[in-house]
Amino acid sequence: GVQTCALPICYAKVLGLDIYLFNLDSEVKLEIYNISGHRVRELVNGIQELGLHRIQWNATNDHGQSLPW
């Protein structure tokens, strides 16, 4: 199923996420949305293998522009 969670990033310069996948092959889509509900960054979109995946986001949008704090 789909799981959604909100992570506050008010003071972080880089957000690190550890994701553990329990199925052999899993479809994963990880996106960042702003407070207005607009998608600003797609971090992962596709099949990921079993195991631990470390993902970092440096507070930029899909075009590499820094987002306002």
Side-chain angles (χ1 to χ4, degrees):
V2 174
Q3 186 174 11
T4 302
C5 59
L7 299 171
I9 57 160
C10 298
Y11 300 104
K13 295 292 181 187
V14 175
L15 176 66
L17 300 170
D18 287 344
I19 300 172
Y20 192 86
L21 302 176
F22 294 96
N23 294 327
L24 292 179
D25 290 325
S26 298
E27 181 76 29
V28 175
K29 187 168 191 173
L30 179 59
E31 299 174 314
I32 305 292
Y33 288 79
N34 66 16
I35 193 82
S36 300
H38 298 102
R39 186 179 71 81
V40 295
R41 183 71 187 263
E42 180 178 79
L43 298 175
V44 178
N45 187 2
I47 301 292
Q48 301 293 309
E49 296 178 357
L50 169 75
L52 180 65
H53 298 267
R54 293 181 185 250
I55 300 162
Q56 290 191 331
W57 176 57
N58 61 355
T60 58
N61 64 19
D62 282 332
H63 306 288
Q65 300 165 326
S66 295
L67 297 174
W69 295 98

Coordinates of all heavy atoms in Angstrom, one line a residue:
G1 N 0.8 -1.2 0.0 CA 0.0 0.0 0.0 C 0.8 1.2 0.0 O 2.1 1.2 0.1
V2 N 0.2 2.4 -0.1 CA 0.8 3.7 -0.1 C 0.9 4.2 1.3 O 0.0 4.1 2.1 CB 0.1 4.7 -1.0 CG1 0.6 6.0 -0.9 CG2 0.0 4.2 -2.4
Q3 N 2.1 4.7 1.6 CA 2.3 5.3 2.9 C 2.8 6.7 2.8 O 3.7 7.0 2.0 CB 3.3 4.5 3.7 CG 3.5 5.0 5.1 CD 4.4 4.1 5.9 OE1 5.1 3.2 5.4 NE2 4.4 4.3 7.2
T4 N 2.2 7.6 3.5 CA 2.5 9.0 3.4 C 2.9 9.5 4.8 O 2.2 9.1 5.8 CB 1.3 9.9 2.9 OG1 0.9 9.4 1.6 CG2 1.6 11.3 2.8
C5 N 3.9 10.3 4.9 CA 4.3 10.9 6.2 C 4.8 12.3 6.0 O 5.3 12.6 4.9 CB 5.3 10.0 6.9 SG 6.8 9.8 6.0
A6 N 4.6 13.1 7.0 CA 5.1 14.5 6.9 C 6.3 14.7 7.8 O 6.3 14.2 9.0 CB 4.0 15.5 7.4
L7 N 7.4 15.3 7.3 CA 8.6 15.5 8.1 C 8.9 17.0 8.1 O 9.2 17.6 7.1 CB 9.8 14.7 7.4 CG 9.6 13.2 7.3 CD1 10.7 12.7 6.5 CD2 9.6 12.6 8.7
P8 N 8.9 17.6 9.3 CA 9.3 19.0 9.3 C 10.8 19.2 9.1 O 11.6 18.4 9.6 CB 8.9 19.4 10.8 CG 8.9 18.1 11.5 CD 8.6 17.0 10.6
I9 N 11.1 20.2 8.3 CA 12.5 20.4 7.9 C 12.9 21.8 8.2 O 13.8 22.4 7.5 CB 12.8 20.0 6.5 CG1 11.9 20.8 5.5 CG2 12.7 18.5 6.2 CD1 12.4 20.9 4.1
C10 N 12.3 22.5 9.1 CA 12.4 23.9 9.4 C 13.9 24.4 9.4 O 14.2 25.4 8.9 CB 11.7 24.3 10.6 SG 9.9 24.0 10.5
Y11 N 14.7 23.6 10.1 CA 16.1 24.1 10.3 C 17.2 23.2 9.7 O 18.3 23.4 9.9 CB 16.4 24.2 11.8 CG 15.4 25.2 12.5 CD1 14.3 24.8 13.2 CD2 15.5 26.6 12.3 CE1 13.4 25.6 13.8 CE2 14.6 27.5 12.8 CZ 13.6 27.0 13.6 OH 12.7 27.9 14.1
A12 N 16.8 22.3 8.9 CA 17.7 21.3 8.3 C 18.2 21.9 7.0 O 17.5 22.5 6.2 CB 17.0 20.0 8.1
K13 N 19.5 21.8 6.8 CA 20.1 22.1 5.5 C 20.1 20.9 4.5 O 20.0 21.1 3.3 CB 21.6 22.6 5.7 CG 21.7 23.9 6.4 CD 21.1 25.0 5.7 CE 21.3 26.3 6.5 NZ 20.6 27.4 5.9
V14 N 20.2 19.7 5.1 CA 20.1 18.5 4.4 C 19.3 17.5 5.1 O 19.5 17.3 6.3 CB 21.5 17.9 4.1 CG1 21.4 16.5 3.4 CG2 22.4 18.8 3.3
L15 N 18.3 16.9 4.5 CA 17.4 16.0 5.1 C 17.9 14.6 4.7 O 18.0 14.3 3.5 CB 16.0 16.2 4.7 CG 15.0 15.2 5.2 CD1 14.8 15.3 6.7 CD2 13.6 15.4 4.5
G16 N 18.2 13.7 5.6 CA 18.6 12.3 5.3 C 17.4 11.4 5.7 O 16.9 11.5 6.8
L17 N 17.1 10.5 4.8 CA 16.1 9.5 5.0 C 16.7 8.1 4.8 O 17.4 7.8 3.9 CB 15.0 9.7 4.0 CG 14.2 11.0 4.0 CD1 13.3 11.1 2.8 CD2 13.4 11.1 5.3
D18 N 16.4 7.2 5.8 CA 16.7 5.8 5.6 C 15.4 5.1 5.4 O 14.5 5.1 6.2 CB 17.4 5.3 6.9 CG 18.8 5.8 7.0 OD1 19.4 6.3 6.1 OD2 19.3 5.6 8.2
I19 N 15.4 4.3 4.3 CA 14.2 3.6 3.9 C 14.6 2.1 3.8 O 15.6 1.8 3.0 CB 13.6 4.1 2.5 CG1 13.2 5.5 2.7 CG2 12.4 3.2 2.1 CD1 12.8 6.2 1.4
Y20 N 13.9 1.2 4.5 CA 14.2 -0.2 4.4 C 13.0 -0.9 3.6 O 11.9 -0.7 4.0 CB 14.4 -0.9 5.7 CG 15.0 -2.2 5.6 CD1 16.3 -2.4 5.5 CD2 14.1 -3.4 5.5 CE1 16.9 -3.7 5.3 CE2 14.7 -4.6 5.3 CZ 16.1 -4.8 5.2 OH 16.6 -6.0 5.0
L21 N 13.3 -1.6 2.6 CA 12.3 -2.3 1.8 C 12.3 -3.7 2.1 O 13.4 -4.4 2.1 CB 12.6 -2.0 0.3 CG 12.6 -0.6 -0.2 CD1 13.0 -0.5 -1.6 CD2 11.3 0.1 0.1
F22 N 11.2 -4.3 2.4 CA 11.1 -5.7 2.8 C 10.7 -6.6 1.7 O 11.0 -7.8 1.8 CB 10.0 -5.8 3.9 CG 10.3 -5.1 5.2 CD1 9.9 -3.8 5.4 CD2 11.2 -5.7 6.1 CE1 10.2 -3.2 6.6 CE2 11.5 -5.1 7.3 CZ 11.0 -3.8 7.5
N23 N 10.2 -6.1 0.6 CA 9.9 -7.0 -0.6 C 11.1 -7.0 -1.5 O 11.9 -6.1 -1.5 CB 8.7 -6.4 -1.3 CG 7.4 -6.5 -0.5 OD1 7.3 -7.4 0.3 ND2 6.5 -5.6 -0.7
L24 N 11.2 -8.1 -2.3 CA 12.4 -8.2 -3.2 C 12.5 -7.0 -4.2 O 13.5 -6.4 -4.3 CB 12.3 -9.5 -4.0 CG 12.4 -10.7 -3.1 CD1 12.3 -12.0 -4.0 CD2 13.8 -10.7 -2.4
D25 N 11.4 -6.7 -4.8 CA 11.3 -5.5 -5.7 C 10.1 -4.7 -5.3 O 9.0 -5.2 -5.3 CB 11.2 -6.0 -7.2 CG 12.5 -6.6 -7.7 OD1 13.6 -6.2 -7.3 OD2 12.4 -7.5 -8.6
S26 N 10.3 -3.4 -5.1 CA 9.2 -2.6 -4.6 C 9.2 -1.3 -5.5 O 10.2 -0.7 -5.7 CB 9.4 -2.2 -3.2 OG 9.3 -3.3 -2.4
E27 N 8.0 -0.9 -5.9 CA 7.8 0.4 -6.5 C 7.8 1.4 -5.5 O 7.1 1.4 -4.5 CB 6.5 0.4 -7.3 CG 6.2 1.6 -8.0 CD 7.0 1.7 -9.3 OE1 7.3 0.7 -9.9 OE2 7.3 2.9 -9.8
V28 N 8.8 2.4 -5.6 CA 8.9 3.5 -4.6 C 8.8 4.8 -5.3 O 9.5 5.0 -6.3 CB 10.3 3.3 -3.9 CG1 10.5 4.5 -2.9 CG2 10.4 2.0 -3.2
K29 N 8.0 5.7 -4.7 CA 7.9 7.1 -5.2 C 8.0 7.9 -4.0 O 7.2 7.9 -3.1 CB 6.6 7.3 -5.9 CG 6.5 8.7 -6.6 CD 5.3 8.7 -7.5 CE 5.5 10.0 -8.4 NZ 4.4 10.0 -9.4
L30 N 9.1 8.8 -3.9 CA 9.3 9.6 -2.8 C 9.4 11.1 -3.3 O 10.2 11.4 -4.1 CB 10.6 9.3 -2.1 CG 11.1 10.1 -0.9 CD1 10.0 10.1 0.2 CD2 12.4 9.6 -0.4
E31 N 8.4 11.9 -2.9 CA 8.3 13.3 -3.3 C 8.3 14.2 -2.1 O 7.8 13.9 -1.1 CB 7.1 13.5 -4.2 CG 7.0 12.6 -5.4 CD 5.7 12.7 -6.1 OE1 4.6 12.6 -5.4 OE2 5.7 12.8 -7.3
I32 N 8.8 15.4 -2.4 CA 8.7 16.5 -1.4 C 7.7 17.5 -1.8 O 7.7 18.0 -2.9 CB 10.1 17.2 -1.2 CG1 11.2 16.2 -0.9 CG2 10.1 18.3 -0.2 CD1 11.1 15.5 0.4
Y33 N 6.8 17.9 -0.8 CA 5.8 18.9 -1.1 C 6.0 20.1 -0.2 O 6.4 19.9 1.0 CB 4.4 18.3 -0.8 CG 4.0 17.3 -1.9 CD1 4.5 16.0 -1.9 CD2 3.1 17.7 -2.9 CE1 4.1 15.1 -2.9 CE2 2.7 16.8 -3.9 CZ 3.2 15.5 -3.9 OH 2.8 14.6 -4.8
N34 N 5.6 21.3 -0.6 CA 5.7 22.4 0.2 C 4.4 22.5 1.1 O 3.5 21.7 0.9 CB 6.0 23.7 -0.6 CG 4.9 24.1 -1.5 OD1 3.7 23.6 -1.4 ND2 5.2 25.0 -2.4
I35 N 4.4 23.5 1.9 CA 3.2 23.7 2.8 C 1.9 24.0 2.1 O 0.9 23.7 2.6 CB 3.5 24.8 3.9 CG1 2.5 24.8 5.0 CG2 3.6 26.2 3.2 CD1 2.9 23.8 6.1
S36 N 2.0 24.5 0.9 CA 0.8 24.7 0.1 C 0.3 23.5 -0.7 O -0.7 23.6 -1.4 CB 1.1 25.8 -0.9 OG 1.5 27.0 -0.3
G37 N 1.1 22.4 -0.6 CA 0.7 21.2 -1.3 C 1.2 21.0 -2.7 O 0.8 20.1 -3.4
H38 N 2.1 21.9 -3.1 CA 2.8 21.8 -4.4 C 4.0 20.9 -4.3 O 4.8 21.0 -3.4 CB 3.2 23.1 -4.9 CG 2.0 24.0 -5.1 ND1 1.7 25.0 -4.2 CD2 1.0 24.1 -6.1 CE1 0.6 25.7 -4.6 NE2 0.2 25.1 -5.7
R39 N 4.1 20.0 -5.3 CA 5.3 19.1 -5.3 C 6.5 20.0 -5.8 O 6.4 20.6 -6.8 CB 5.1 17.9 -6.3 CG 6.3 17.0 -6.2 CD 6.1 15.8 -7.1 NE 6.3 16.2 -8.5 CZ 7.4 16.3 -9.2 NH1 8.6 16.1 -8.5 NH2 7.5 16.7 -10.4
V40 N 7.6 19.9 -5.0 CA 8.8 20.7 -5.3 C 9.9 19.8 -5.8 O 10.9 20.3 -6.4 CB 9.2 21.6 -4.2 CG1 8.1 22.7 -3.9 CG2 9.5 20.8 -2.9
R41 N 9.9 18.5 -5.4 CA 11.1 17.7 -5.7 C 10.6 16.2 -5.7 O 9.9 15.7 -4.8 CB 12.2 17.9 -4.7 CG 13.5 17.1 -4.9 CD 14.2 17.7 -6.1 NE 15.3 16.9 -6.5 CZ 16.6 17.1 -6.1 NH1 16.9 18.1 -5.3 NH2 17.6 16.3 -6.5
E42 N 11.1 15.5 -6.7 CA 10.9 14.1 -6.8 C 12.3 13.4 -6.5 O 13.3 13.7 -7.2 CB 10.5 13.6 -8.2 CG 10.3 12.1 -8.3 CD 9.7 11.8 -9.7 OE1 10.5 11.7 -10.6 OE2 8.5 11.6 -9.8
L43 N 12.4 12.6 -5.4 CA 13.7 12.0 -5.0 C 13.8 10.6 -5.6 O 14.9 10.2 -6.0 CB 13.8 12.0 -3.5 CG 13.8 13.4 -2.8 CD1 13.8 13.2 -1.3 CD2 14.9 14.2 -3.3
V44 N 12.8 9.9 -5.6 CA 12.8 8.5 -6.1 C 11.5 8.2 -6.9 O 10.4 8.6 -6.4 CB 13.0 7.5 -4.9 CG1 13.0 6.1 -5.5 CG2 14.2 7.8 -4.1
N45 N 11.6 7.5 -8.0 CA 10.5 7.1 -8.7 C 10.8 5.8 -9.5 O 11.4 6.0 -10.6 CB 9.9 8.2 -9.6 CG 8.6 7.8 -10.3 OD1 8.1 6.7 -10.0 ND2 8.1 8.7 -11.1
G46 N 10.6 4.7 -9.0 CA 10.9 3.5 -9.8 C 11.1 2.3 -8.8 O 10.8 2.3 -7.6
I47 N 11.5 1.2 -9.4 CA 11.7 -0.1 -8.7 C 13.0 0.0 -7.9 O 14.0 0.4 -8.4 CB 11.7 -1.3 -9.7 CG1 10.4 -1.4 -10.5 CG2 12.0 -2.6 -9.0 CD1 9.2 -1.8 -9.7
Q48 N 12.9 -0.4 -6.6 CA 14.0 -0.4 -5.8 C 14.2 -1.8 -5.2 O 13.2 -2.5 -5.0 CB 13.8 0.6 -4.6 CG 13.6 2.0 -5.0 CD 14.9 2.6 -5.6 OE1 15.9 2.5 -5.1 NE2 14.7 3.2 -6.8
E49 N 15.4 -2.2 -5.0 CA 15.7 -3.6 -4.5 C 15.6 -3.7 -3.0 O 15.6 -2.7 -2.3 CB 17.2 -3.9 -4.9 CG 17.4 -4.0 -6.4 CD 18.8 -4.4 -6.7 OE1 19.7 -4.5 -5.8 OE2 19.1 -4.5 -7.9
L50 N 15.4 -4.9 -2.5 CA 15.4 -5.2 -1.1 C 16.5 -4.6 -0.4 O 17.7 -4.6 -0.9 CB 15.4 -6.7 -0.9 CG 15.6 -7.3 0.5 CD1 14.3 -7.1 1.3 CD2 16.0 -8.7 0.4
G51 N 16.3 -4.0 0.8 CA 17.4 -3.6 1.6 C 17.3 -2.1 2.0 O 16.3 -1.4 1.8
L52 N 18.3 -1.6 2.6 CA 18.4 -0.2 3.1 C 18.8 0.7 2.0 O 19.8 0.5 1.3 CB 19.4 -0.2 4.3 CG 19.6 1.2 4.9 CD1 18.3 1.7 5.6 CD2 20.7 1.2 5.9
H53 N 18.1 1.8 1.9 CA 18.4 2.8 0.9 C 18.5 4.2 1.6 O 17.6 4.5 2.4 CB 17.3 2.9 -0.1 CG 17.1 1.7 -0.9 ND1 17.7 1.5 -2.1 CD2 16.4 0.6 -0.7 CE1 17.4 0.3 -2.6 NE2 16.6 -0.3 -1.7
R54 N 19.6 4.9 1.5 CA 19.8 6.2 2.1 C 19.7 7.2 1.0 O 20.3 7.2 0.0 CB 21.2 6.2 2.7 CG 21.4 5.3 3.8 CD 22.7 5.3 4.5 NE 22.8 4.3 5.5 CZ 22.8 4.5 6.8 NH1 22.8 5.8 7.2 NH2 22.9 3.5 7.6
I55 N 18.8 8.2 1.4 CA 18.4 9.2 0.4 C 18.7 10.6 1.1 O 18.2 10.7 2.3 CB 17.0 9.1 0.0 CG1 16.8 7.7 -0.7 CG2 16.6 10.2 -0.9 CD1 15.4 7.3 -0.8
Q56 N 19.3 11.5 0.4 CA 19.5 12.8 1.0 C 18.9 13.8 0.1 O 18.9 13.7 -1.1 CB 21.0 13.1 1.2 CG 21.6 12.3 2.3 CD 23.0 12.8 2.6 OE1 23.7 13.3 1.8 NE2 23.4 12.6 3.8
W57 N 18.3 14.9 0.7 CA 17.7 16.0 0.0 C 18.3 17.3 0.5 O 18.3 17.5 1.7 CB 16.2 16.0 0.1 CG 15.5 17.1 -0.5 CD1 15.6 17.5 -1.8 CD2 14.7 18.0 0.1 NE1 14.8 18.6 -2.0 CE2 14.2 19.0 -0.8 CE3 14.2 18.2 1.4 CZ2 13.4 20.0 -0.6 CZ3 13.3 19.2 1.7 CH2 12.9 20.1 0.7
N58 N 18.8 18.1 -0.4 CA 19.5 19.4 0.1 C 18.6 20.6 -0.1 O 19.1 21.7 -0.3 CB 20.8 19.5 -0.7 CG 20.5 19.6 -2.2 OD1 19.4 19.5 -2.7 ND2 21.6 19.9 -3.0
A59 N 17.3 20.5 0.1 CA 16.4 21.6 0.0 C 16.4 22.3 -1.3 O 16.2 23.6 -1.3 CB 16.6 22.5 1.2
T60 N 16.5 21.6 -2.4 CA 16.4 22.2 -3.7 C 15.2 21.6 -4.4 O 14.7 20.5 -4.1 CB 17.6 22.0 -4.6 OG1 17.9 20.6 -4.7 CG2 18.9 22.6 -4.0
N61 N 14.7 22.3 -5.4 CA 13.6 21.8 -6.2 C 14.1 20.9 -7.4 O 15.3 20.7 -7.5 CB 12.7 23.0 -6.7 CG 13.4 23.9 -7.7 OD1 14.4 23.6 -8.3 ND2 12.8 25.1 -7.8
D62 N 13.2 20.5 -8.2 CA 13.5 19.7 -9.4 C 14.5 20.4 -10.3 O 15.1 19.7 -11.2 CB 12.3 19.2 -10.1 CG 11.6 18.1 -9.4 OD1 12.2 17.3 -8.7 OD2 10.3 18.0 -9.6
H63 N 14.6 21.7 -10.3 CA 15.5 22.4 -11.2 C 16.8 22.8 -10.5 O 17.6 23.6 -11.1 CB 14.8 23.7 -11.6 CG 13.4 23.4 -12.3 ND1 13.3 22.8 -13.5 CD2 12.2 23.6 -11.8 CE1 12.0 22.7 -13.8 NE2 11.3 23.1 -12.8
G64 N 17.0 22.3 -9.3 CA 18.3 22.6 -8.6 C 18.3 23.9 -7.9 O 19.3 24.3 -7.3
Q65 N 17.2 24.6 -7.8 CA 17.1 25.9 -7.2 C 16.8 25.7 -5.7 O 16.0 24.9 -5.3 CB 16.0 26.8 -7.8 CG 16.2 27.0 -9.2 CD 14.9 27.5 -9.9 OE1 13.8 27.2 -9.5 NE2 15.1 28.4 -10.9
S66 N 17.5 26.5 -4.8 CA 17.3 26.4 -3.4 C 15.9 26.9 -3.1 O 15.4 27.9 -3.6 CB 18.3 27.3 -2.6 OG 19.6 26.7 -2.8
L67 N 15.3 26.2 -2.1 CA 13.9 26.6 -1.7 C 14.0 27.6 -0.6 O 14.9 27.6 0.2 CB 13.1 25.4 -1.2 CG 12.9 24.4 -2.4 CD1 12.2 23.1 -1.8 CD2 12.0 25.0 -3.5
P68 N 13.1 28.6 -0.5 CA 13.1 29.6 0.6 C 12.8 29.0 1.9 O 12.1 28.0 2.0 CB 12.0 30.6 0.1 CG 11.1 29.8 -0.7 CD 12.0 28.7 -1.4
W69 N 13.5 29.5 2.9 CA 13.2 29.1 4.3 C 12.3 30.1 4.9 O 12.1 30.6 5.7 CB 14.5 28.9 5.1 CG 15.4 27.9 4.5 CD1 16.4 28.0 3.6 CD2 15.3 26.5 4.7 NE1 16.9 26.8 3.3 CE2 16.2 25.8 3.9 CE3 14.4 25.7 5.5 CZ2 16.4 24.4 3.9 CZ3 14.5 24.3 5.4 CH2 15.6 23.7 4.7

